[in-house]
């Protein structure tokens, strides 16, 4: 089982935009703990993946050595900004 961490940038993004997705995000986190590679890859990089909740796209990085998943980024789907690989 993996541990999931939400980065400070994602938390601030959700607070600043007054997004109320706590329940949906918790569901995704529970799925990620058991199946970290369930969601599609970004830029053909197996450890960087993305998932969607409502109008938001999130990216996360899988660290197999430490059994850790970090949700690193969130953007609006219809925004001109795209998810990046950090």
């Amino acid at each position: 089982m993996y541990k999931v961490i939400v980065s400070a940038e994602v938390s601030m993004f959700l607070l600043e935009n007054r997004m109320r997705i706590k329940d949906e995000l918790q569901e995704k986190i529970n799925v990620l703990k058991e199946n970290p590679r369930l969601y599609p890859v970004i830029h053909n990089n197996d450890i960087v993946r993305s998932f969607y909740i409502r109008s938001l796209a999130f990216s996360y990085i899988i660290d197999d050595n430490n059994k850790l998943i970090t949700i690193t980024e969130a953007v609006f789907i219809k925004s001109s900004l795209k998810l990046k690989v950090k």
Side-chain angles (χ1 to χ4, degrees):
M1 181 173 296
Y2 284 74
K3 181 178 178 183
V4 179
I5 297 174
V6 178
S7 72
E9 292 86 5
V10 172
S11 296
M12 288 302 298
F13 174 82
L14 295 174
L15 285 172
E16 288 173 354
N17 290 292
R18 297 187 179 137
M19 301 301 296
R20 304 208 192 285
I21 59 167
K22 181 180 177 182
D23 294 335
E24 293 98 334
L25 186 58
Q26 188 59 50
E27 284 180 30
K28 295 287 185 177
I29 288 172
N30 290 337
V31 170
L32 285 175
K33 287 179 181 179
E34 297 294 327
N35 304 306
R37 288 182 165 73
L38 178 67
Y39 299 109
V41 299
I42 299 176
H43 302 296
N44 296 322
N45 191 340
D46 187 49
I47 65 167
V48 181
R49 296 177 175 257
S50 67
F51 64 87
Y52 302 94
I53 298 177
R54 296 187 198 172
S55 62
L56 298 173
F58 294 85
S59 67
Y60 65 95
I61 298 174
I62 303 168
D63 180 2
D64 288 319
N65 295 332
N66 297 320
K67 297 284 187 189
L68 182 69
I69 297 172
T70 307
I71 300 174
T72 57
E73 192 174 10
V75 296
F76 286 104
I77 293 172
K78 294 190 178 193
S79 172
S80 62
L81 299 175
K82 300 298 177 200
L83 294 172
K84 303 177 284 246
V85 177
K86 292 185 179 182

